[in-house]
Amino acid sequence: MRILAVTERTINIASDVRSASMSLGGMTASVLAVHTDASKDGRPLVGLAFDSIGRYGHGGLLRERFIPRLTAADPERYADGNGSIDPHRAWRVVMEDEKPAGHGERCGAVGLIDAAIWDLAAKAQGAPLWRMLARDGVAAAQSSIPVYASGGHYRAENDIALLCEEVRAAIGRGHRRFKIKIGGATLAQDQRRIEALLAILEAGMTLAVDGNGSFSRDVALRYLAALAPYPLAWIEEPVHPLDFALHDEVAARTRVPLATGENLFSADDAQNLMRYGGLRNDRDILQFDISLSYGIVEYLRILERLAEHGWRRARCAPHAGHLLAINAVGGLGLGLAEMAMDQSALFGKLTAGIAVHDGEAALPDAPGAGFEAAPVFQEVFGGLLN
Ligand SMILES: [Mg+2]
């Protein structure tokens, strides 16, 4: 199978909300399609990928460096021996002549290409991606996975009323686990938001909070003390994502589960977190964003490193709620998948077609990652396929 072309474009996924660290008012993302000379069921075989959220589009790196490397390669270099493409071999082609570490935004651009190649490989097998990953890995395929609804950003007006409305709507769609932002308002206001939600959650439902890595040591410790009385499922990124010594200190001071990792970008980063972050493998949650950390090929390396440090896959809840992560949770035996609570924004619309019942999502059964079933498929990918 020969890769004929890789097309990409940057799309606007802005929304009128903010977290403790940033506004999403200018947010963009890349979408990408890998076109081949093969066909399946009478249609051209095309691999698709949609970015994660939070790091903007990767068009420059894709166009200047990574796409030309892939399209110039002899197909023998990425062939799998069965007439399809081997994602691991394609990854090595894309990463040729790249230095160790120095990840920058490179890991997001490579992650997009990786995601499209996995979508392509699964389509070539006629299998949903989660089932293909289970076949290749050590986990049993899960066609239904535990999910949590993520959102609770700050609004300029009617913040608590809109927050409650957002969570009630997610409850109505079948969710039982929720996560909202903290740190974008005063501590007292954050407590009011948490209390308002705890008052409307039903028995067995859970609430987690996300500081987006914005707290200094003193603020983090003040928040930990103030939030200790609430039955929170976890506190996410209470401190800067790269300050492993401070994670170690914070973890030693609280029994509440901590979650982090969405702003680390490689297996080496994950290993450093394991070595120096003081995280507890009986309760803490690892959220490496697969799309933003070089894709599934690198994520499989991350899982190997975690196992070496005594971590089970059940402690992994990859960031962002994109289809790649949802497939990986089902196919690699991970613990929990994120889904966007706000389905009015484009990012949430991509997974709006996935049914959730009693906190469990039914994974798509169509070949590949499942983009074609998204209600916004034509809007997002149409321009790349014509
Ligand atoms: Mg987060």
Side-chain angles (χ1 to χ4, degrees):
M1 189 185 303
R2 175 184 288 276
I3 293 171
L4 300 176
V6 180
T7 51
E8 61 78 33
R9 72 185 180 103
T10 301
I11 58 172
N12 178 9
I13 57 166
S15 62
D16 187 23
V17 295
R18 58 176 304 117
S19 70
S21 63
M22 64 193 287
S23 155
L24 294 179
M27 187 52 58
T28 61
S30 288
V31 290
L32 180 140
V34 174
H35 304 264
T36 69
D37 63 355
S39 60
K40 180 87 175 172
D41 302 327
R43 302 173 65 181
L45 196 51
V46 180
L48 302 175
F50 186 94
D51 230 333
S52 185
I53 189 168
R55 291 270 160 188
Y56 303 92
H58 299 93
L61 286 167
L62 288 165
R63 287 190 299 273
E64 289 180 7
R65 191 148 106 229
F66 296 110
I67 290 175
R69 219 173 263 169
L70 187 60
T71 52
D74 183 333
E76 281 303 310
R77 295 189 55 209
Y78 48 70
D80 75 345
N82 293 306
S84 186
I85 295 176
D86 179 338
H88 299 267
R89 299 190 75 205
W91 195 93
R92 286 198 290 275
V93 169
V94 171
M95 281 293 286
E96 193 170 51
D97 298 328
E98 295 289 326
K99 279 182 148 184
H103 307 298
E105 289 299 319
R106 176 180 81 184
C107 44
V110 173
L112 266 170
I113 293 176
D114 172 275
I117 298 287
W118 282 97
D119 178 60
L120 181 81
K123 285 172 176 166
Q125 290 189 10
L129 177 56
W130 55 272
R131 197 180 294 283
M132 177 189 171
L133 290 173
R135 261 187 226 141
D136 289 355
V138 298
Q142 309 175 86
S143 62
S144 175
I145 57 169
V147 294
Y148 73 95
S150 171
H153 294 77
Y154 296 95
R155 279 105 169 169
E157 293 178 14
N158 294 328
D159 179 57
I160 289 184
L162 292 172
L163 175 68
C164 292
E165 200 175 294
E166 184 184 9
V167 170
R168 279 200 189 93
I171 292 173
R173 293 195 303 272
H175 284 285
R176 298 185 61 78
R177 306 173 190 86
F178 308 90
K179 183 179 82 184
I180 64 166
K181 300 302 183 187
I182 55 171
T186 62
L187 173 54
Q189 177 68 359
D190 277 335
Q191 288 177 288
R192 283 192 284 275
R193 298 174 101 236
I194 291 168
E195 288 165 10
L197 289 183
L198 290 175
I200 64 173
L201 294 191
E202 299 160 17
M205 293 183 175
T206 61
L207 179 66
V209 295
D210 183 356
N212 286 93
S214 61
F215 297 149
S216 66
R217 175 186 177 279
D218 291 348
V219 173
L221 295 180
R222 197 174 335 133
Y223 261 77
L224 284 176
L227 301 187
Y230 303 113
L232 296 174
W234 71 78
I235 298 176
E236 182 168 321
E237 289 198 318
V239 294
H240 192 283
L242 293 177
D243 192 337
F244 299 148
L246 186 51
H247 277 84
D248 186 41
E249 180 181 355
V250 167
R253 286 172 176 248
T254 181
R255 298 165 63 88
V256 179
L258 303 177
T260 191
E262 69 177 76
N263 289 305
L264 305 183
F265 291 143
S266 69
D268 293 331
D269 293 344
Q271 177 162 281
N272 280 334
L273 181 66
M274 296 304 98
R275 283 176 172 164
Y276 307 116
L279 297 184
R280 302 150 298 181
N281 63 13
D282 65 339
R283 75 193 70 181
D284 292 330
I285 297 163
L286 304 172
Q287 301 176 303
F288 313 112
D289 186 315
I290 302 172
S291 182
L292 292 177
S293 22
Y294 294 105
I296 287 176
V297 167
E298 180 81 353
Y299 195 74
L300 294 171
R301 295 186 190 117
I302 289 177
L303 293 178
E304 285 175 15
R305 304 276 180 93
L306 296 186
E308 289 165 11
H309 287 80
W311 285 77
R312 293 176 300 118
R313 294 182 179 203
R315 306 300 330 147
C316 294
H319 172 247
H322 42 69
L323 279 167
L324 187 72
I326 287 170
N327 274 278
V329 171
L332 299 175
L334 311 181
L336 185 63
E338 183 170 3
M339 289 182 78
M341 196 137 46
D342 180 5
Q343 295 193 341
S344 66
L346 182 60
F347 191 76
K349 288 177 182 172
L350 280 161
T351 52
I354 295 179
V356 178
H357 178 70
D358 205 19
E360 303 265 321
L363 294 182
D365 215 28
F371 291 111
E372 287 79 357
V376 287
F377 176 74
Q378 273 304 327
E379 179 186 339
V380 171
F381 291 100
L384 296 181
L385 301 177
N386 299 326

